[in-house]
Amino acid sequence: MPTIGNHVRLSAGAIVLGSVQIGENTTIGAGAVVVKDVPANSVAVGNPARCFDKPVEHQIVGDAQDVE
């Protein structure tokens, strides 16, 4: 039985096979077939699913008036 972490997005048609672990904050792409563990904060796509790091969201630090 798979173990699925918090805040995981399983897209349409995704298949999770076996006793794999899917880490938190992970996205499984549409039609992906997951047969191996997927680390936290990643994206898994394809058949069989391959993992990629999620892009880091850009944050503005400081006053918004300082940004040109």
Side-chain angles (χ1 to χ4, degrees):
M1 175 170 257
T3 303
I4 299 174
N6 295 320
H7 307 289
V8 172
R9 179 180 297 157
L10 292 172
S11 299
I15 300 171
V16 181
L17 299 173
S19 61
V20 298
Q21 292 187 344
I22 299 176
E24 295 184 349
N25 303 313
T26 298
T27 300
I28 308 298
V33 178
V34 180
V35 294
K36 294 182 181 178
D37 291 349
V38 179
N41 303 310
S42 61
V43 176
V45 295
N47 179 6
R50 291 168 299 180
C51 299
F52 300 93
D53 291 335
K54 276 190 179 177
V56 177
E57 293 183 22
H58 298 287
Q59 295 180 354
I60 298 175
V61 180
D63 237 357
Q65 295 174 351
D66 295 339
V67 179
E68 292 183 25

